[in-house]
Amino acid sequence: MSNFTRYLHDRLVLLLLSINTFLTLAVCVFVPLQLGANHGNGYIVQCRDCSNIANIDRFTNGSVWELLGFIVFALLVLAV
Protein backbone atom coordinates (compact mmCIF):
# COMPACT_ATOMS: atom_id res chain seq x y z
CA MET A 1 0.00 0.00 0.00
CA SER A 2 2.91 2.33 0.70
CA ASN A 3 4.18 2.06 -2.86
CA PHE A 4 0.78 3.03 -4.23
CA THR A 5 0.56 6.24 -2.17
CA ARG A 6 4.13 7.12 -3.09
CA TYR A 7 3.28 6.61 -6.75
CA LEU A 8 0.32 8.97 -6.48
CA HIS A 9 2.47 11.54 -4.67
CA ASP A 10 5.13 11.35 -7.37
CA ARG A 11 2.50 11.82 -10.08
CA LEU A 12 1.15 14.90 -8.33
CA VAL A 13 4.62 16.43 -8.03
CA LEU A 14 5.28 15.66 -11.69
CA LEU A 15 1.99 17.30 -12.67
CA LEU A 16 2.81 20.46 -10.70
CA LEU A 17 6.31 20.64 -12.19
CA SER A 18 4.88 20.15 -15.68
CA ILE A 19 2.38 22.98 -15.17
CA ASN A 20 5.11 25.25 -13.82
CA THR A 21 7.37 24.44 -16.78
CA PHE A 22 4.56 25.09 -19.26
CA LEU A 23 3.73 28.46 -17.68
CA THR A 24 7.40 29.47 -17.65
CA LEU A 25 7.77 28.58 -21.32
CA ALA A 26 4.58 30.52 -22.11
CA VAL A 27 5.97 33.60 -20.34
CA CYS A 28 9.32 33.24 -22.13
CA VAL A 29 7.55 33.08 -25.51
CA PHE A 30 4.64 35.51 -25.20
CA VAL A 31 6.29 38.40 -23.32
CA PRO A 32 8.96 38.95 -26.02
CA LEU A 33 6.22 38.79 -28.65
CA GLN A 34 4.49 41.66 -26.88
CA LEU A 35 7.77 43.55 -26.70
CA GLY A 36 7.95 43.40 -30.47
CA ALA A 37 4.66 45.27 -30.80
CA ASN A 38 4.84 49.03 -31.30
CA HIS A 39 4.15 50.81 -27.98
CA GLY A 40 4.52 54.58 -28.17
CA ASN A 41 3.77 55.44 -24.52
CA GLY A 42 5.63 52.51 -22.96
CA TYR A 43 4.26 49.36 -21.43
CA ILE A 44 1.64 48.97 -18.72
CA VAL A 45 3.44 47.21 -15.86
CA GLN A 46 1.17 47.90 -12.86
CA CYS A 47 -2.48 48.52 -12.12
CA ARG A 48 -3.07 50.24 -8.80
CA ASP A 49 -6.36 50.74 -7.03
CA CYS A 50 -8.40 48.92 -9.65
CA SER A 51 -11.43 48.81 -7.33
CA ASN A 52 -11.96 52.56 -7.75
CA ILE A 53 -13.30 53.13 -11.27
CA ALA A 54 -13.13 56.92 -10.97
CA ASN A 55 -9.35 56.83 -10.58
CA ILE A 56 -7.88 57.87 -13.94
CA ASP A 57 -4.18 57.29 -13.25
CA ARG A 58 -4.46 53.70 -12.14
CA PHE A 59 -2.10 52.28 -14.76
CA THR A 60 1.65 52.66 -14.34
CA ASN A 61 3.82 52.74 -17.44
CA GLY A 62 7.20 51.07 -17.40
CA SER A 63 10.11 50.16 -19.58
CA VAL A 64 11.20 47.02 -21.36
CA TRP A 65 13.50 46.12 -18.45
CA GLU A 66 10.57 45.61 -16.07
CA LEU A 67 8.97 43.12 -18.45
CA LEU A 68 12.28 41.32 -18.94
CA GLY A 69 12.52 41.14 -15.16
CA PHE A 70 9.22 39.24 -15.20
CA ILE A 71 10.82 36.63 -17.46
CA VAL A 72 13.78 36.36 -15.08
CA PHE A 73 11.35 35.94 -12.17
CA ALA A 74 9.51 33.14 -13.97
CA LEU A 75 12.81 31.35 -14.60
CA LEU A 76 13.83 31.77 -10.96
CA VAL A 77 10.54 30.28 -9.77
CA LEU A 78 11.05 27.31 -12.08
CA ALA A 79 14.61 26.81 -10.84
CA VAL A 80 13.64 26.93 -7.18
Side-chain angles (χ1 to χ4, degrees), residues 7-60:
Y7 176 71
L8 288 178
H9 181 265
D10 290 343
R11 284 182 43 191
L12 179 63
V13 170
L14 184 61
L15 174 68
L16 292 174
L17 285 173
S18 299
I19 291 171
N20 195 6
T21 303
F22 173 75
L23 291 175
T24 301
L25 289 175
V27 165
C28 290
V29 169
F30 291 122
V31 169
L33 287 177
Q34 279 293 353
L35 293 177
N38 194 5
H39 291 279
N41 294 336
Y43 300 94
I44 295 175
V45 294
Q46 290 182 5
C47 180
R48 298 194 176 211
D49 194 22
C50 292
S51 62
N52 188 2
I53 297 175
N55 192 0
I56 296 174
D57 295 329
R58 63 183 184 179
F59 296 115
T60 304

